[in-house]
Coordinates of all heavy atoms in Angstrom, one line a residue:
M1 N -9.7 -12.2 21.1 CA -8.6 -12.3 20.2 C -7.6 -11.1 20.4 O -8.0 -10.0 20.7 CB -9.1 -12.2 18.7 CG -10.0 -13.3 18.3 SD -9.0 -14.7 17.9 CE -10.2 -15.9 17.8
R2 N -6.4 -11.4 20.1 CA -5.4 -10.4 20.0 C -5.1 -10.1 18.6 O -5.1 -10.9 17.7 CB -4.1 -10.8 20.8 CG -4.4 -11.1 22.2 CD -3.2 -11.5 23.0 NE -2.3 -10.3 23.0 CZ -1.0 -10.4 23.3 NH1 -0.5 -11.5 23.6 NH2 -0.3 -9.4 23.3
Y3 N -4.8 -8.8 18.3 CA -4.5 -8.3 17.0 C -3.2 -7.6 16.9 O -2.8 -6.9 17.8 CB -5.7 -7.4 16.5 CG -7.0 -8.1 16.3 CD1 -7.8 -8.3 17.4 CD2 -7.3 -8.6 15.1 CE1 -9.0 -9.0 17.2 CE2 -8.5 -9.3 14.9 CZ -9.3 -9.5 16.0 OH -10.5 -10.2 15.8
L4 N -2.6 -7.7 15.8 CA -1.3 -7.0 15.5 C -1.6 -6.0 14.4 O -2.2 -6.3 13.3 CB -0.3 -8.0 15.0 CG 1.1 -7.5 14.7 CD1 1.8 -7.0 16.0 CD2 1.9 -8.5 14.0
I5 N -1.3 -4.7 14.6 CA -1.5 -3.7 13.6 C -0.1 -3.3 13.1 O 0.7 -2.9 13.9 CB -2.3 -2.5 14.2 CG1 -3.6 -2.9 14.8 CG2 -2.5 -1.4 13.2 CD1 -3.6 -3.2 16.2
V6 N 0.1 -3.4 11.8 CA 1.4 -3.1 11.2 C 1.3 -2.1 10.2 O 0.4 -2.1 9.3 CB 1.9 -4.4 10.6 CG1 3.3 -4.2 10.1 CG2 1.9 -5.6 11.6
R7 N 2.2 -1.1 10.2 CA 2.3 -0.1 9.2 C 3.6 -0.5 8.4 O 4.7 -0.6 8.9 CB 2.5 1.3 9.8 CG 2.5 2.4 8.7 CD 2.4 3.8 9.3 NE 3.4 4.1 10.3 CZ 4.4 4.9 10.1 NH1 4.6 5.5 9.0 NH2 5.2 5.2 11.1
T8 N 3.4 -0.7 7.1 CA 4.5 -1.1 6.2 C 4.7 -0.2 5.0 O 3.8 0.5 4.7 CB 4.3 -2.6 5.7 OG1 3.2 -2.5 4.8 CG2 4.1 -3.6 6.8
D9 N 5.9 -0.3 4.5 CA 6.1 0.4 3.2 C 5.5 -0.4 2.1 O 5.5 -1.6 2.1 CB 7.6 0.6 2.9 CG 8.3 1.6 3.9 OD1 7.6 2.5 4.3 OD2 9.5 1.4 4.2
V10 N 5.0 0.2 1.0 CA 4.5 -0.5 -0.1 C 5.7 -0.7 -1.1 O 6.4 0.3 -1.5 CB 3.4 0.4 -0.8 CG1 2.9 -0.3 -2.1 CG2 2.2 0.5 0.2
R11 N 5.9 -1.9 -1.5 CA 7.0 -2.2 -2.4 C 6.6 -1.8 -3.8 O 5.5 -2.2 -4.3 CB 7.3 -3.7 -2.4 CG 8.6 -4.1 -1.8 CD 8.9 -5.6 -2.0 NE 7.7 -6.5 -2.2 CZ 7.2 -7.1 -1.2 NH1 7.6 -6.9 0.0 NH2 6.2 -7.9 -1.4
A12 N 7.4 -1.2 -4.5 CA 7.1 -0.8 -5.9 C 7.2 -2.1 -6.8 O 8.1 -2.9 -6.6 CB 8.1 0.2 -6.4
V13 N 6.3 -2.2 -7.7 CA 6.3 -3.3 -8.6 C 6.4 -2.8 -10.1 O 5.6 -1.9 -10.5 CB 5.0 -4.1 -8.5 CG1 5.0 -5.3 -9.5 CG2 4.9 -4.6 -7.0
G14 N 7.4 -3.2 -10.8 CA 7.5 -2.8 -12.2 C 6.6 -3.5 -13.1 O 6.1 -4.6 -12.8
P15 N 6.4 -3.0 -14.3 CA 5.5 -3.6 -15.3 C 5.9 -5.0 -15.7 O 5.1 -5.9 -15.9 CB 5.5 -2.6 -16.5 CG 6.0 -1.4 -16.0 CD 6.9 -1.7 -14.8
D16 N 7.2 -5.2 -15.8 CA 7.8 -6.5 -16.2 C 7.4 -7.6 -15.1 O 7.2 -8.7 -15.4 CB 9.2 -6.5 -16.5 CG 10.0 -5.9 -15.3 OD1 9.5 -5.1 -14.6 OD2 11.2 -6.2 -15.2
E17 N 7.5 -7.2 -13.8 CA 7.1 -8.1 -12.7 C 5.6 -8.5 -12.8 O 5.3 -9.6 -12.5 CB 7.5 -7.5 -11.4 CG 8.9 -7.3 -11.2 CD 9.2 -6.5 -9.9 OE1 8.8 -5.4 -9.8 OE2 9.9 -7.1 -9.0
V18 N 4.8 -7.5 -13.2 CA 3.4 -7.8 -13.3 C 3.1 -8.8 -14.4 O 2.4 -9.7 -14.2 CB 2.6 -6.5 -13.5 CG1 1.1 -6.8 -13.8 CG2 2.7 -5.5 -12.3
V19 N 3.7 -8.5 -15.5 CA 3.6 -9.4 -16.7 C 4.0 -10.8 -16.3 O 3.4 -11.8 -16.6 CB 4.3 -8.9 -17.9 CG1 4.3 -9.9 -19.0 CG2 3.6 -7.6 -18.4
A20 N 5.2 -10.9 -15.7 CA 5.8 -12.2 -15.3 C 4.9 -13.0 -14.4 O 4.6 -14.2 -14.5 CB 7.2 -12.1 -14.8
A21 N 4.4 -12.3 -13.3 CA 3.5 -12.9 -12.3 C 2.2 -13.3 -13.0 O 1.7 -14.4 -12.7 CB 3.3 -12.0 -11.2
W22 N 1.7 -12.5 -13.9 CA 0.4 -12.8 -14.5 C 0.5 -14.1 -15.4 O -0.3 -14.9 -15.4 CB 0.0 -11.6 -15.4 CG -1.4 -11.8 -16.0 CD1 -1.6 -12.2 -17.3 CD2 -2.6 -11.6 -15.5 NE1 -2.9 -12.3 -17.6 CE2 -3.6 -12.0 -16.5 CE3 -3.1 -11.2 -14.2 CZ2 -5.0 -11.9 -16.2 CZ3 -4.5 -11.1 -14.0 CH2 -5.4 -11.5 -15.0
S23 N 1.6 -14.1 -16.2 CA 1.8 -15.3 -17.1 C 2.1 -16.6 -16.3 O 1.7 -17.7 -16.8 CB 3.0 -15.0 -18.0 OG 4.2 -14.9 -17.3
E24 N 2.7 -16.5 -15.1 CA 3.0 -17.7 -14.3 C 1.8 -18.1 -13.4 O 1.9 -19.1 -12.8 CB 4.3 -17.5 -13.5 CG 5.5 -17.3 -14.4 CD 6.7 -16.9 -13.6 OE1 6.6 -16.9 -12.3 OE2 7.7 -16.6 -14.2
G25 N 0.9 -17.2 -13.2 CA -0.2 -17.4 -12.3 C 0.2 -17.2 -10.9 O -0.4 -17.7 -9.9
A26 N 1.3 -16.5 -10.6 CA 1.8 -16.3 -9.3 C 1.3 -15.0 -8.7 O 0.8 -14.1 -9.5 CB 3.4 -16.3 -9.4
R27 N 1.5 -14.8 -7.5 CA 1.2 -13.5 -6.8 C 2.3 -12.5 -7.0 O 3.5 -12.8 -7.0 CB 1.0 -13.7 -5.3 CG -0.2 -14.6 -5.0 CD -0.4 -14.8 -3.6 NE -1.5 -15.7 -3.3 CZ -2.2 -15.6 -2.2 NH1 -1.9 -14.7 -1.3 NH2 -3.2 -16.4 -2.0
I28 N 1.9 -11.2 -7.1 CA 2.9 -10.2 -7.2 C 3.5 -9.9 -5.9 O 4.7 -9.8 -5.8 CB 2.3 -8.9 -7.8 CG1 1.8 -9.2 -9.2 CG2 3.2 -7.7 -7.8 CD1 1.0 -8.0 -9.8
R29 N 2.7 -9.8 -4.9 CA 3.2 -9.6 -3.5 C 2.7 -10.8 -2.7 O 1.5 -11.0 -2.5 CB 2.6 -8.3 -2.9 CG 3.2 -7.1 -3.6 CD 2.6 -5.8 -2.9 NE 3.2 -4.7 -3.5 CZ 2.6 -3.8 -4.3 NH1 1.4 -4.1 -4.7 NH2 3.2 -2.8 -4.8
D30 N 3.7 -11.5 -2.0 CA 3.3 -12.6 -1.2 C 4.0 -12.4 0.2 O 5.2 -12.5 0.3 CB 3.8 -13.9 -1.8 CG 3.2 -15.1 -1.0 OD1 2.6 -14.9 0.1 OD2 3.5 -16.3 -1.4
E31 N 3.2 -12.0 1.2 CA 3.8 -11.7 2.5 C 4.5 -12.8 3.2 O 5.3 -12.6 4.0 CB 2.7 -11.1 3.4 CG 2.2 -9.8 3.0 CD 3.2 -8.7 3.2 OE1 3.9 -8.6 4.3 OE2 3.5 -7.9 2.3
R32 N 4.1 -14.0 2.8 CA 4.7 -15.2 3.5 C 6.2 -15.4 3.0 O 7.0 -15.8 3.8 CB 3.9 -16.5 3.2 CG 2.6 -16.4 3.9 CD 1.7 -17.5 3.5 NE 1.3 -17.2 2.1 CZ 0.6 -18.0 1.4 NH1 0.1 -19.1 1.9 NH2 0.2 -17.7 0.2
T33 N 6.5 -15.1 1.7 CA 7.8 -15.3 1.2 C 8.7 -14.1 1.2 O 9.9 -14.1 1.4 CB 7.8 -15.9 -0.2 OG1 7.1 -14.9 -1.0 CG2 7.0 -17.2 -0.2
D34 N 8.0 -12.9 1.0 CA 8.8 -11.7 0.9 C 8.0 -10.5 1.6 O 7.4 -9.7 0.8 CB 9.1 -11.4 -0.6 CG 10.1 -10.2 -0.7 OD1 10.8 -9.9 0.2 OD2 10.1 -9.6 -1.8
P35 N 8.0 -10.4 2.9 CA 7.2 -9.4 3.6 C 7.7 -8.0 3.3 O 8.9 -7.8 3.0 CB 7.3 -9.7 5.0 CG 8.5 -10.6 5.2 CD 8.7 -11.2 3.8
E36 N 6.8 -7.0 3.3 CA 7.1 -5.6 3.1 C 7.8 -5.1 4.4 O 7.6 -5.6 5.5 CB 5.9 -4.8 2.8 CG 5.2 -5.2 1.5 CD 3.9 -4.4 1.3 OE1 3.2 -4.1 2.3 OE2 3.6 -4.2 0.1
P37 N 8.7 -4.2 4.2 CA 9.5 -3.6 5.3 C 8.5 -2.9 6.3 O 7.6 -2.2 5.9 CB 10.4 -2.5 4.7 CG 10.5 -2.9 3.3 CD 9.2 -3.6 2.9
R38 N 8.6 -3.3 7.6 CA 7.8 -2.7 8.6 C 8.3 -1.4 9.1 O 9.4 -1.1 9.3 CB 7.7 -3.7 9.8 CG 7.1 -5.0 9.5 CD 7.1 -5.9 10.7 NE 6.6 -7.2 10.3 CZ 6.9 -8.3 11.0 NH1 7.7 -8.3 12.0 NH2 6.4 -9.5 10.6
R39 N 7.3 -0.5 9.4 CA 7.6 0.8 9.9 C 7.2 0.9 11.4 O 7.9 1.6 12.2 CB 6.9 1.9 9.1 CG 7.4 2.2 7.8 CD 8.8 2.7 7.9 NE 9.4 3.0 6.6 CZ 10.3 3.9 6.5 NH1 10.8 4.6 7.5 NH2 10.8 4.1 5.3
Q40 N 6.0 0.3 11.7 CA 5.5 0.5 13.1 C 4.6 -0.7 13.4 O 3.9 -1.2 12.5 CB 4.7 1.8 13.2 CG 4.3 2.1 14.5 CD 3.6 3.5 14.6 OE1 3.3 4.1 13.5 NE2 3.4 4.0 15.7
I41 N 4.7 -1.2 14.6 CA 3.9 -2.4 15.1 C 3.2 -2.0 16.4 O 3.8 -1.5 17.3 CB 4.8 -3.6 15.2 CG1 5.5 -4.0 13.9 CG2 3.9 -4.8 15.7 CD1 6.5 -5.0 14.1
V42 N 1.9 -2.3 16.5 CA 1.1 -2.1 17.7 C 0.3 -3.3 17.9 O -0.2 -3.9 17.0 CB 0.2 -0.8 17.5 CG1 -0.6 -0.5 18.7 CG2 1.0 0.4 17.1
M43 N 0.0 -3.7 19.2 CA -0.8 -4.8 19.6 C -2.1 -4.2 20.2 O -2.1 -3.2 20.8 CB -0.2 -5.6 20.6 CG 1.0 -6.4 20.2 SD 0.6 -7.7 19.0 CE -0.3 -8.9 20.1
A44 N -3.2 -5.0 19.9 CA -4.5 -4.6 20.5 C -5.2 -5.9 21.1 O -5.0 -7.0 20.5 CB -5.4 -4.0 19.5
E45 N -5.9 -5.8 22.1 CA -6.6 -6.9 22.8 C -7.9 -7.3 22.1 O -8.3 -8.4 22.3 CB -6.8 -6.6 24.2 CG -5.5 -6.5 25.0 CD -4.7 -7.8 25.1 OE1 -5.4 -8.9 25.1 OE2 -3.5 -7.8 25.0
D46 N -8.6 -6.4 21.4 CA -9.8 -6.8 20.8 C -9.9 -6.1 19.4 O -9.2 -5.2 19.1 CB -11.0 -6.5 21.7 CG -11.2 -5.0 22.0 OD1 -10.7 -4.2 21.2 OD2 -11.8 -4.7 23.0
R47 N -10.9 -6.6 18.7 CA -11.1 -6.1 17.3 C -11.4 -4.6 17.2 O -10.9 -3.9 16.3 CB -12.2 -6.9 16.6 CG -12.4 -6.6 15.2 CD -13.4 -7.6 14.6 NE -13.6 -7.4 13.2 CZ -14.7 -6.8 12.7 NH1 -15.7 -6.4 13.5 NH2 -14.8 -6.6 11.4
D48 N -12.3 -4.1 18.0 CA -12.6 -2.7 18.0 C -11.4 -1.8 18.3 O -11.2 -0.8 17.6 CB -13.7 -2.4 19.0 CG -15.0 -3.0 18.6 OD1 -15.3 -3.2 17.4 OD2 -15.9 -3.2 19.5
A49 N -10.6 -2.2 19.3 CA -9.4 -1.4 19.5 C -8.4 -1.5 18.4 O -7.8 -0.5 18.0 CB -8.7 -1.9 20.8
A50 N -8.3 -2.7 17.7 CA -7.4 -2.8 16.6 C -7.8 -1.9 15.5 O -6.9 -1.2 14.9 CB -7.4 -4.3 16.1
F51 N -9.1 -1.8 15.2 CA -9.5 -1.0 14.1 C -9.4 0.5 14.4 O -9.2 1.4 13.6 CB -10.9 -1.3 13.6 CG -10.9 -2.6 12.8 CD1 -11.6 -3.7 13.2 CD2 -10.3 -2.6 11.6 CE1 -11.6 -4.9 12.4 CE2 -10.2 -3.7 10.8 CZ -10.9 -4.9 11.2
R52 N -9.6 0.9 15.7 CA -9.4 2.3 16.1 C -7.9 2.7 15.9 O -7.6 3.7 15.4 CB -9.8 2.5 17.5 CG -11.3 2.8 17.7 CD -11.6 3.3 19.1 NE -11.1 2.2 20.0 CZ -11.9 1.4 20.7 NH1 -13.2 1.6 20.7 NH2 -11.5 0.5 21.5
L53 N -7.0 1.8 16.3 CA -5.6 2.0 16.1 C -5.2 2.1 14.6 O -4.4 2.9 14.2 CB -4.7 1.0 16.8 CG -4.7 1.1 18.3 CD1 -4.1 -0.2 18.9 CD2 -3.9 2.3 18.8
A54 N -5.8 1.2 13.8 CA -5.6 1.2 12.4 C -6.0 2.5 11.8 O -5.3 3.1 10.9 CB -6.2 0.0 11.7
R55 N -7.2 3.0 12.2 CA -7.7 4.3 11.6 C -6.7 5.4 12.0 O -6.5 6.3 11.2 CB -9.1 4.6 12.1 CG -10.1 3.9 11.3 CD -11.5 4.5 11.6 NE -11.9 4.3 13.0 CZ -12.5 3.2 13.4 NH1 -12.8 2.2 12.6 NH2 -12.9 3.1 14.7
A56 N -6.2 5.4 13.3 CA -5.3 6.5 13.7 C -4.0 6.4 12.9 O -3.5 7.4 12.5 CB -5.0 6.3 15.2
L57 N -3.5 5.2 12.7 CA -2.3 5.1 11.9 C -2.5 5.4 10.4 O -1.6 5.9 9.7 CB -1.7 3.7 11.9 CG -1.1 3.3 13.3 CD1 -0.7 1.8 13.3 CD2 0.1 4.1 13.6
A58 N -3.7 5.3 9.9 CA -4.0 5.6 8.5 C -4.0 7.1 8.3 O -4.0 7.6 7.2 CB -5.4 5.0 8.2
A59 N -4.0 7.9 9.4 CA -3.9 9.4 9.2 C -2.5 9.9 8.9 O -2.4 11.0 8.6 CB -4.5 10.0 10.5
V60 N -1.6 9.0 9.0 CA -0.2 9.4 8.7 C -0.1 9.8 7.2 O -0.7 9.1 6.3 CB 0.8 8.2 9.0 CG1 2.2 8.5 8.5 CG2 0.8 7.9 10.5
G61 N 0.6 10.8 6.9 CA 0.7 11.3 5.5 C 1.2 10.3 4.5 O 0.6 10.2 3.4
A62 N 2.1 9.5 4.8 CA 2.7 8.5 3.9 C 1.6 7.4 3.6 O 1.6 6.9 2.4 CB 3.9 7.8 4.4
V63 N 0.8 7.1 4.5 CA -0.3 6.1 4.3 C -1.4 6.8 3.4 O -1.8 6.1 2.4 CB -1.0 5.7 5.6 CG1 -2.2 4.7 5.3 CG2 0.1 5.0 6.5
R64 N -1.7 8.0 3.6 CA -2.7 8.7 2.8 C -2.2 8.9 1.4 O -3.0 8.9 0.4 CB -3.1 10.0 3.5 CG -3.9 9.8 4.7 CD -4.4 11.0 5.5 NE -4.4 12.2 4.7 CZ -4.2 13.4 5.2 NH1 -3.9 13.5 6.5 NH2 -4.2 14.5 4.5
A65 N -0.9 9.0 1.2 CA -0.3 9.2 -0.1 C -0.1 7.9 -0.8 O 0.3 7.9 -2.0 CB 1.0 10.0 0.0
G66 N -0.3 6.8 -0.2 CA -0.2 5.5 -0.8 C 1.2 4.9 -0.8 O 1.5 3.9 -1.4
R67 N 2.1 5.5 -0.1 CA 3.5 4.9 0.0 C 3.6 3.9 1.1 O 4.6 3.1 1.2 CB 4.5 6.1 0.3 CG 4.6 7.0 -0.9 CD 5.7 8.0 -0.7 NE 5.7 8.7 0.6 CZ 5.0 9.9 0.8 NH1 4.4 10.5 -0.2 NH2 5.0 10.5 2.0
Q68 N 2.7 3.9 2.1 CA 2.6 2.9 3.2 C 1.2 2.4 3.3 O 0.3 3.0 2.8 CB 3.1 3.5 4.5 CG 4.5 4.0 4.4 CD 4.9 4.7 5.7 OE1 4.1 5.0 6.6 NE2 6.2 4.9 5.9
R69 N 1.1 1.2 4.0 CA -0.2 0.7 4.2 C -0.4 0.1 5.6 O 0.6 -0.1 6.3 CB -0.6 -0.4 3.2 CG 0.2 -1.7 3.4 CD -0.3 -2.8 2.4 NE 0.6 -2.7 1.3 CZ 0.3 -2.9 0.0 NH1 -1.0 -3.3 -0.2 NH2 1.1 -2.8 -0.9
I70 N -1.6 0.0 6.1 CA -1.9 -0.5 7.4 C -2.5 -1.9 7.2 O -3.4 -2.2 6.4 CB -2.9 0.4 8.1 CG1 -2.4 1.8 8.2 CG2 -3.2 -0.2 9.5 CD1 -1.2 2.0 8.9
K71 N -2.0 -2.9 8.0 CA -2.5 -4.2 8.0 C -2.9 -4.6 9.4 O -2.2 -4.3 10.4 CB -1.4 -5.2 7.5 CG -1.0 -4.9 6.2 CD 0.2 -5.7 5.8 CE 0.8 -5.3 4.5 NZ 2.0 -5.9 4.1
V72 N -4.1 -5.3 9.6 CA -4.6 -5.7 10.8 C -4.6 -7.3 10.7 O -5.3 -7.8 9.9 CB -6.0 -5.2 11.2 CG1 -6.5 -5.8 12.5 CG2 -6.0 -3.7 11.2
V73 N -3.9 -7.9 11.7 CA -3.7 -9.4 11.6 C -4.1 -10.0 12.9 O -3.7 -9.5 14.0 CB -2.2 -9.7 11.4 CG1 -2.0 -11.2 11.3 CG2 -1.7 -9.1 10.1
R74 N -5.0 -11.0 12.9 CA -5.4 -11.7 14.1 C -4.3 -12.6 14.5 O -3.8 -13.4 13.8 CB -6.7 -12.5 13.9 CG -7.3 -13.1 15.1 CD -8.5 -13.8 14.9 NE -8.3 -14.9 14.0 CZ -9.2 -15.5 13.2 NH1 -10.4 -15.0 13.2 NH2 -8.9 -16.5 12.5
V75 N -3.9 -12.5 15.8 CA -2.7 -13.2 16.3 C -3.1 -14.5 17.1 O -2.7 -15.6 16.8 CB -1.8 -12.3 17.1 CG1 -0.6 -13.1 17.6 CG2 -1.3 -11.2 16.3
S76 N -3.9 -14.3 18.1 CA -4.2 -15.4 19.0 C -5.5 -15.1 19.9 O -6.0 -14.0 19.8 CB -3.1 -15.7 19.9 OG -2.9 -14.6 20.8
E77 N -5.8 -16.0 20.7 CA -6.9 -15.8 21.7 C -6.3 -15.0 22.8 O -5.1 -14.9 23.0 CB -7.3 -17.2 22.3 CG -7.9 -18.1 21.3 CD -9.3 -17.6 20.9 OE1 -10.0 -17.0 21.7 OE2 -9.7 -17.9 19.8
P78 N -7.2 -14.2 23.5 CA -6.7 -13.3 24.6 C -6.2 -14.2 25.7 O -6.6 -15.3 25.9 CB -8.0 -12.6 25.0 CG -9.1 -13.3 24.4 CD -8.6 -14.1 23.3
R79 N -5.3 -13.6 26.5 CA -4.8 -14.3 27.6 C -5.8 -14.4 28.7 O -6.6 -13.5 28.9 CB -3.6 -13.6 28.2 CG -2.3 -13.7 27.3 CD -1.2 -13.1 28.0 NE -0.8 -12.0 27.0 CZ -0.1 -10.9 27.4 NH1 0.2 -10.7 28.6 NH2 0.1 -10.0 26.5
R80 N -5.9 -15.5 29.5 CA -6.9 -15.6 30.5 C -6.2 -15.6 31.9 O -5.1 -15.9 32.1 CB -7.6 -16.9 30.3 CG -8.3 -16.9 29.0 CD -9.3 -18.0 28.9 NE -9.9 -17.9 27.5 CZ -11.0 -17.5 27.2 NH1 -11.8 -17.0 28.2 NH2 -11.5 -17.5 26.0

């Protein structure tokens, strides 16, 4: 499998948005309709490499402070 490792900014959510989403049964953050701004993108050929890269990106100060997050997404089968 191929994996995409993405470092994104965390979108701030106000209390009124939480209440509105809760009352409507909707999601607060939905990546399919409104993705978070991307900061860095890296590809990996296997799961172990993807998680090693994700751990390395998680050492960034903004990620440790909670302003950014790391996402690992399975993209496709490896090329043959």
Side-chain angles (χ1 to χ4, degrees):
M1 295 279 166
R2 295 182 68 193
Y3 292 85
L4 183 68
I5 302 92
V6 184
R7 184 169 57 106
T8 65
D9 289 330
V10 175
R11 249 190 332 270
V13 177
D16 55 333
E17 293 174 298
V18 173
V19 171
W22 183 265
S23 65
E24 296 171 6
R27 294 180 182 210
I28 295 172
R29 293 185 174 104
D30 189 354
E31 289 293 311
R32 293 172 287 180
T33 59
D34 190 21
E36 293 177 328
R38 295 178 185 156
R39 288 293 182 156
Q40 188 172 12
I41 300 171
V42 182
M43 292 290 293
E45 292 295 324
D46 62 25
R47 184 173 181 255
D48 291 335
F51 283 116
R52 274 192 303 252
L53 287 167
R55 277 193 298 273
L57 289 174
V60 173
V63 176
R64 292 183 17 215
R67 294 187 308 269
Q68 295 177 351
R69 74 176 90 215
I70 305 299
K71 300 171 186 173
V72 178
V73 181
R74 186 177 65 205
V75 178
S76 67
E77 294 289 331
R79 286 183 245 159
R80 298 192 186 257

